[in-house]
Amino acid sequence: MRLSVSSILISLSLATVLIIVLHFLLNDKRVYKKFRISFLSIFSIIISLRLFFPFEFINTHTIASRNLLPAIYSVGKINICFVYSSFQISGILIFVWLLGTSVMLIRLMVNFFQIRKFLKPLKDLPPGYLAPNVQKMIPSKIKVKSISSKESPFAWGIVRPMIAMPLYQFDEVDQKNIIMHELAHISSYDALKKFFLEVLVCLYWWFPLIYVFKDQVTLILEMNVDCRIVKDLSKKSYFDYIRSLINIAEFSSCSKTKVKQRAYFSNFVIDEGSTLKKRESFLLEEYSIKRTKWPLVVILVVMPLLLTSIIIEPYTVNNNKVQNAFKIDPNDTDTYILKKENRYELIVKGKKVGSVRNLNKIKSPIIKQLPVKRIRNYNE
């Protein structure tokens, strides 16, 4: 593997195209009726991996760029004077990138410490709060805490996962759907996925489409959980689940205090109304949950190989080869082809530079223009 400016530029270009395609898939009902949630999930994983590993691999084929990339590279080599020092533009850009990434990573760590500070004083749900049938669904290792504000229920944690629920008397159906949803998030390790997504945002903080991609992945994670839950439900339970989404969204919209950093949680509903509408539409259109057809699976398997198979590098000349090269001027009287007995020799500026085995098979038009001289006594 090799990391280069070209490999990063190619990775960003491919990611841009794929994010735009994913946006189209997520916003056209006619499309996502054919492209199932498994396809969308794998599609987002491919984008993430390409951004996490913007390298050249063994199967990479290099194409030389003679105009665009050399021009970009030349701009990066321009020196900017500052006080008594000079810096290349490329070096300044790398410094700004690393500085911004460091700030974003520190901010991410601070947010996680604040989340732990917020969650630490939370108390267990009061006895009898959950219906008996709902209480039985929760594994003993998972704690259910209570929050006083009208927040959407959410799951948090990887090693010691927990579920937080507001102290509000939801009916048994809503309780069951909430717990099923958050348990699905925990079993899918969505908290870990969101953490890596945040790291990706820290690395590409200057790339506008990374924030679009973050929202796309968040929506796909929620859709994936929704589909996992409803695929085995009866028709009545299926629409009860959709009703619970609407109920909790209405409930949490009345909250006057919103938990900061809630974007890091796996929420039962997300604040944005458009996201909730997409989830509802997806569920209503996908009542008969289907698997992705095998041709699409094949495309997904081949896609990572195709995305890493081509790299474009600026055209460069090998200096060692240039030193041994020569230029042929057909108008130079000291440049000609010398016939010596049964062989031909190329003379450039009065010096022998090589032999010509078969003059009739020479393809170079410049060499064909050279005069042929016959000298019987030629002293090398």
Side-chain angles (χ1 to χ4, degrees):
M1 294 190 300
R2 187 173 77 93
L3 182 65
S4 64
V5 175
S6 296
S7 65
I8 294 174
L9 290 176
I10 291 297
S11 297
L12 289 174
S13 300
L14 291 172
T16 298
V17 173
L18 294 178
I19 290 171
I20 293 173
V21 171
L22 187 57
H23 175 78
F24 173 69
L25 295 178
L26 288 170
N27 286 275
D28 194 314
K29 293 180 181 179
R30 295 169 299 176
V31 173
Y32 67 57
K33 284 173 68 176
K34 297 181 180 179
F35 292 88
R36 306 301 172 182
I37 191 63
S38 57
F39 181 92
L40 299 175
S41 299
I42 300 175
F43 200 90
S44 63
I45 291 173
I46 291 171
I47 298 174
S48 301
L49 290 176
R50 188 56 181 158
L51 290 174
F52 266 119
F53 303 102
F55 301 105
E56 298 177 35
F57 296 94
I58 297 175
N59 65 315
T60 301
H61 176 70
T62 302
I63 299 176
S65 171
R66 294 178 178 269
N67 298 310
L68 181 60
L69 284 186
I72 294 175
Y73 273 55
S74 63
V75 172
K77 293 179 180 179
I78 296 175
N79 287 318
I80 296 179
C81 295
F82 181 75
V83 189
Y84 298 105
S85 302
S86 63
F87 305 92
Q88 287 189 349
I89 290 179
S90 59
I92 296 173
L93 293 177
I94 292 173
F95 174 76
V96 172
W97 183 355
L98 294 176
L99 179 62
T101 299
S102 300
V103 171
M104 293 289 287
L105 288 172
I106 292 172
R107 181 185 175 188
L108 179 62
M109 293 299 105
V110 170
N111 284 335
F112 272 89
F113 279 118
Q114 290 178 343
I115 290 172
R116 293 187 64 183
K117 184 178 179 180
F118 165 74
L119 296 176
K120 189 173 182 181
L122 295 184
K123 298 180 180 179
D124 294 338
L125 279 179
Y129 174 83
L130 294 175
N133 291 334
V134 177
Q135 186 67 52
K136 293 178 181 178
M137 297 168 53
I138 305 172
S140 57
K141 67 176 183 179
I142 297 177
K143 303 297 181 183
V144 183
K145 303 290 184 176
S146 63
I147 50 178
S148 57
S149 58
K150 287 188 174 182
E151 296 292 334
S152 168
F154 61 84
W156 170 260
I158 301 169
V159 180
R160 287 181 244 175
M162 58 156 288
I163 298 172
M165 291 187 64
L167 288 174
Y168 180 81
Q169 291 301 319
F170 298 110
D171 62 32
E172 183 175 348
V173 173
D174 285 345
Q175 288 183 3
K176 179 181 178 182
N177 289 327
I178 291 170
I179 295 300
M180 284 196 303
H181 184 94
E182 303 309 333
L183 289 178
H185 273 305
I186 292 172
S187 63
S188 298
Y189 296 99
D190 286 343
L192 184 61
K193 295 173 185 175
K194 285 197 169 188
F195 174 77
F196 281 116
L197 182 61
E198 292 297 334
V199 173
L200 199 61
V201 171
C202 292
L203 293 174
Y204 293 95
W205 57 270
W206 47 271
F207 181 45
L209 287 181
I210 197 65
Y211 302 98
V212 176
F213 181 59
K214 176 184 174 181
D215 293 338
Q216 291 174 341
V217 173
T218 301
L219 175 60
I220 290 172
L221 290 177
E222 294 299 329
M223 286 180 169
N224 183 53
V225 167
D226 291 340
C227 288
R228 283 182 57 190
I229 292 173
V230 302
K231 67 178 181 179
D232 296 323
L233 295 181
S234 64
K235 187 172 182 179
K236 180 181 182 305
S237 298
Y238 186 101
F239 288 104
D240 281 343
Y241 181 80
I242 298 176
R243 180 179 60 83
S244 293
L245 287 177
I246 298 172
N247 289 344
I248 305 304
E250 183 179 357
F251 165 79
S252 61
S253 65
C254 298
S255 175
K256 296 181 180 180
T257 59
K258 294 294 182 182
V259 178
K260 295 179 180 179
Q261 303 91 28
R262 67 177 298 164
Y264 304 108
F265 301 142
S266 297
N267 301 277
F268 185 70
V269 294
I270 304 174
D271 288 342
E272 293 82 356
S274 60
T275 301
L276 181 61
K277 289 179 181 178
K278 288 176 184 177
R279 289 173 65 188
E280 292 172 0
S281 298
F282 189 82
L283 287 170
L284 291 172
E285 295 290 343
E286 291 280 324
Y287 176 71
S288 178
I289 302 297
K290 300 177 181 178
R291 293 184 178 182
T292 302
K293 295 181 180 179
W294 70 266
L296 295 178
V297 175
V298 172
I299 292 174
L300 288 176
V301 172
V302 174
M303 187 181 293
L305 298 176
L306 295 178
L307 296 182
T308 59
S309 61
I310 298 175
I311 192 75
I312 303 177
E313 293 278 5
Y315 177 79
T316 57
V317 178
N318 189 320
N319 291 328
N320 294 328
K321 293 182 178 180
V322 170
Q323 291 176 359
N324 298 323
F326 53 84
K327 183 178 180 181
I328 297 177
D329 183 3
N331 298 319
D332 187 354
T333 57
D334 291 331
T335 300
Y336 51 89
I337 295 175
L338 176 66
K339 182 178 181 183
K340 186 179 180 181
E341 296 179 353
N342 294 325
R343 69 177 186 272
Y344 297 88
E345 294 176 348
L346 180 61
I347 308 299
V348 177
K349 294 183 179 180
K351 296 181 180 180
K352 176 185 172 182
V353 297
S355 299
V356 180
R357 293 184 178 180
N358 192 332
L359 191 61
N360 295 326
K361 292 185 178 181
I362 294 296
K363 296 182 179 180
S364 173
I366 295 178
I367 294 180
K368 286 183 176 182
Q369 295 178 31
L370 298 178
V372 178
K373 296 184 179 181
R374 302 170 186 266
I375 298 179
R376 294 182 179 177
N377 298 320
Y378 178 74
N379 187 4
E380 296 183 352

